[in-house]
Amino acid sequence: MEFLGPEEWQAVALSLKVAFWATLTSLPFGLGVAMLLARGRFPGRHLLNGLVHLPLILPPVVTGYLLLMTFGRRGPAGAVLEQWFGIVLAFRWTGAALAAAIMAFPLMVRAMRLAIEAVDPKLEQAAATLGASRGRVFLTVTLPLILPGVIAGAVLAFAKAMGEFGATITFVSNIPGQTRTVPSAIYAFLQVPGGEDAAVRLVVVSVAIAMLALLLSEWLARRVARKIAGR
């Protein structure tokens, strides 16, 4: 007898897919923004910091509504994407990935920014004085030192994306097999008589995946730290 039914497995698989792509696509942007906030000195820096953290402050439903107005088929960005590239985000799993990425972005950036700020700039300056370009300094000095923070940010984003509900259900609805992630499935099962058992099973799976992700993050961070220390 299987622990999860077909509909429940479908929700788990879709959540993993959404969280994976939300994390992967936002990772380079998160690292770039974290570098700007940690090392940049430019007009509007505080405004950028506020915009990055805005999804943490706004109600998720508001974020989802703004996404719908912007990336819906009649929205300014959504109309361009559909007309020129044939990409539709509203009421699609790709829209769920976008919503999850935006909601998880502040956590990712914060973890990376703290790691970058902990790096002594003198180490980078020393490499630069030896003739290394900015790109080489980043790849050979900065990135190895901040890698544990990058991993932590990615795992936090993945976990947040797995649990995202408010913005996702507002932007892409709760369509079985298309946009119904684990949180949406739990909500749906709790609305029907006899659905509590399925909801509990999905809660157990969610906790297990979150714990596995955190343990993996801790193991990777320690391994990277030992490698950097030369042990």
Side-chain angles (χ1 to χ4, degrees), residues 23-165:
T23 304
L24 185 65
T25 55
S26 59
L27 194 58
F29 298 101
L31 184 55
V33 171
M35 286 293 295
L36 278 176
L37 293 177
R39 298 291 173 82
R41 295 294 180 269
F42 54 92
R45 178 170 170 268
H46 295 296
L47 177 61
L48 176 61
N49 185 53
L51 289 174
V52 167
H53 290 87
L54 196 60
L56 288 179
I57 303 169
L58 288 175
V61 174
V62 173
T63 303
Y65 178 75
L66 292 174
L67 286 172
L68 188 60
M69 293 297 98
T70 305
F71 292 96
R73 289 190 167 184
R74 296 184 180 180
V80 171
L81 287 173
E82 183 177 9
Q83 182 178 356
W84 291 95
F85 304 101
I87 298 174
V88 178
L89 295 174
F91 308 107
R92 300 287 194 277
W93 77 266
T94 48
L98 174 63
I102 288 176
M103 294 300 296
F105 196 71
L107 298 177
M108 176 186 288
V109 170
R110 183 166 182 79
M112 293 180 182
R113 179 182 177 181
L114 291 174
I116 295 167
E117 290 175 343
V119 175
D120 187 353
K122 293 180 180 178
L123 296 174
E124 298 166 314
Q125 293 168 5
T129 57
L130 295 174
S133 63
R134 284 189 177 183
R136 188 172 179 80
V137 169
F138 177 79
L139 291 176
T140 59
V141 178
T142 310
L143 186 58
L145 291 174
I146 68 172
L147 198 53
V150 173
I151 294 172
V155 172
L156 283 173
F158 183 87
K160 174 63 177 175
M162 278 289 296
E164 172 50 37
F165 175 70

